[in-house]
Amino acid sequence: MVIGGGGREHALVWKLRQSARVEKIWCAPGNGGIADEAECVAIEAGDVAGLVAFAEKMRPDLTVVGPELPLVNGIADAFAERGWKIVAPRRQAAQLEGSKIFSKEFLLRQRIPTARMYGAFDSAAEAYAALAGVKWPLVLKADGLCAGKGVVVAKDEEEAREFIARSMEQGELGVGGRRVLLEEGLDGEELSFIILTDGERYAPLVPTRDHKRVFEGNQGPNTGGMGAYSSDELLPERLRERILGEIVEPTLKGLASEGIPYQGFLYVGLMLTKDGPRVLEFNCRLGDPEAQAIVARMDFDLAEVLKDVADARLEAGKLKWAAGASVCVVLASGGYPGRFETGKRIEGLVTGVRNEAGVGGRTGVCVFHAGTKRLADGSVVTTGGRVLGVTAAGESLAGALESAYKAAGRIRFEGMHYRKDIGMASSRSAVGD
Ligand code: AMP
């Protein structure tokens, strides 16, 4: 069973289905593309009680969780209590993502390199007062889950005050915004480093970089992610060693020493500063759209490896990766990340595009669905802001980009927009991108 219904989950389902060990996949709730490859079940990802009731009936041999909400809601604890296999961290460990303050305090306790903290506040008055003693730019973070809207890089006091007012006084971000963390703004390139761990052993996945801003050249508001790419060149060997030694291993050891064993995917968001890598954030899951780019380079049986993780016997050597590069270009609804309409019919989704040679082969393209629904007449319509993730692998980044953009050019729906500069040099800079 795969939990979630976005592009990341479509990529997971697609890869899991290639395993000879997999007989049947359920996906809750799934989407219009996942419905082609798995049985979609109408249970929301955050509904732990509903998922438990379903698993009680169907008894999947293994459950894999995509998004963060079920983790924070305790799905791993509920499954573990019943002795069911699941790849997901427990509720307490998921606080690394669920509470930015918890995660920052953990990093500081364990002396893991991260941005300096000015303070964590639950009163707006105290947060305003603290602004007198900070340097600019300042980063303000809502403590809880805020669907990607909880962080602001403020260049001056006015911007900082505005965020504090919206988050702490007007309650615009919901309960997640009641407490706010202030930290130093860091400068450098960002890198996502994701590992898979069974609590003791771990295996790094291929490095990726995502593009959060809606427009080319890293302009416009932040989104859930407009694209991502993976290439070995993103991460020189020495830097990789440094990240493993200074960040990943101390994190896993630190968690274990504090009695918070961690199992599943751990996403470390890093800023590569001139003084070395610094942790910006943890996510307790694969990123979306990073997952699509990562899956595109997987040259191993994902079902077998995930089963190993659930059985606490991960063998890092089993994770083999296609050389070269991969890319995922997100096709979004008109107006996203602001208001957008749904129900637009998607044209050009012929099977030939969807599974052209199969990613994993060298030049394959795969269109992973995110916000889509299949109607009774077989047509596919939009249901969300991020609609499709056109994903390609290639021997080089240029080759992967060419395949992905060629396939993207054949797809149409009213209002569709996408960035034309995913993975390109011009889009690889700037804080907050
Ligand atoms: P987070 O959810 O904590 O990763 O924050 C979202 C985005 O805000 C990151 O991907 C960065 O682009 C930016 N960001 C977060 N923390 C910092 C920081 N200390 N300095 C500069 N940018 C940051």
Side-chain angles (χ1 to χ4, degrees), residues 100 104 115-116 137-139 141 148 150-153 183-187 190 210 212 222 267 269 271 279-283 430-433:
K100 301 255 186 213
K104 180 60 93 184
R116 171 177 159 212
L138 171 75
V139 178
K141 300 185 173 184
V151 176
V152 95
V153 181
E183 71 178 37
E184 155 201 35
L186 296 174
D187 208 8
E190 286 185 47
D210 71 340
K212 284 260 186 274
N222 268 322
Y267 172 121
M271 187 72 88
V279 177
L280 294 180
E281 64 163 337
F282 290 116
N283 290 329
V431 166
D433 299 325

Side-chain angles (χ1 to χ4, degrees), residues 121-136:
F121 303 96
D122 40 28
S123 113
E126 283 171 30
Y128 290 128
L131 297 179
V134 304
K135 288 203 189 123
W136 307 93

Side-chain angles (χ1 to χ4, degrees), residues 159-174:
E159 284 183 10
R161 286 187 157 267
E162 197 223 313
F163 181 81
I164 296 170
R166 281 197 298 115
S167 180
M168 303 183 78
E169 297 193 293
Q170 288 140 29
E172 247 180 57
L173 300 173

Side-chain angles (χ1 to χ4, degrees), residues 38-253:
E39 184 180 328
C40 293
V41 192
I43 307 172
E44 282 311 312
D47 177 5
V48 170
L51 293 166
V52 165
F54 180 80
E56 179 83 68
K57 263 201 318 228
M58 297 305 182
R59 290 303 171 95
D61 295 311
L62 182 66
T63 298
V64 183
V65 181
E68 60 277 20
L69 192 57
L71 306 175
V72 172
N73 289 353
I75 186 137
D77 308 71
F79 274 50
E81 272 164 27
R82 294 165 174 83
W84 303 338
K85 301 284 180 195
I86 187 164
V87 178
R90 302 279 193 112
R91 189 201 303 258
Q92 195 193 6
Q95 286 301 301
L96 278 187
E97 173 164 5
S99 164
K100 301 255 186 213
I101 296 172
F102 172 92
S103 136
K104 180 60 93 184
E105 286 171 347
F106 167 79
L107 287 164
L108 296 174
R109 251 190 334 267
Q110 295 295 333
R111 299 176 191 283
I112 296 165
T114 183
R116 171 177 159 212
M117 175 168 75
Y118 294 114
F121 303 96
D122 40 28
S123 113
E126 283 171 30
Y128 290 128
L131 297 179
V134 304
K135 288 203 189 123
W136 307 93
L138 171 75
V139 178
L140 298 98
K141 300 185 173 184
D143 182 48
L145 296 180
C146 295
K149 297 196 171 68
V151 176
V152 95
V153 181
K155 65 173 181 321
D156 55 28
E157 184 160 341
E158 192 187 328
E159 284 183 10
R161 286 187 157 267
E162 197 223 313
F163 181 81
I164 296 170
R166 281 197 298 115
S167 180
M168 303 183 78
E169 297 193 293
Q170 288 140 29
E172 247 180 57
L173 300 173
V175 284
R178 280 195 206 140
R179 300 178 76 205
V180 166
L181 167 80
L182 306 189
E183 71 178 37
E184 155 201 35
L186 296 174
D187 208 8
E189 288 203 326
E190 286 185 47
L191 182 78
S192 316
F193 196 88
I194 310 179
I195 62 156
L196 179 60
T197 177
D198 65 3
E200 219 175 297
R201 292 153 289 258
Y202 71 90
L205 311 186
V206 282
T208 50
R209 182 167 287 150
D210 71 340
H211 301 271
K212 284 260 186 274
R213 302 293 190 106
V214 67
F215 300 129
E216 278 138 41
N218 297 325
Q219 302 297 312
N222 268 322
T223 67
M226 292 298 288
Y229 69 102
S230 168
S231 146
D232 292 335
E233 282 139 44
L234 267 174
L235 190 61
E237 188 53 35
R238 270 188 49 207
L239 178 59
R240 181 185 142 98
E241 297 294 315
R242 214 170 153 187
I243 292 170
L244 293 177
E246 292 175 17
I247 290 167
V248 171
E249 288 173 12
T251 297
L252 295 177
K253 282 204 190 92

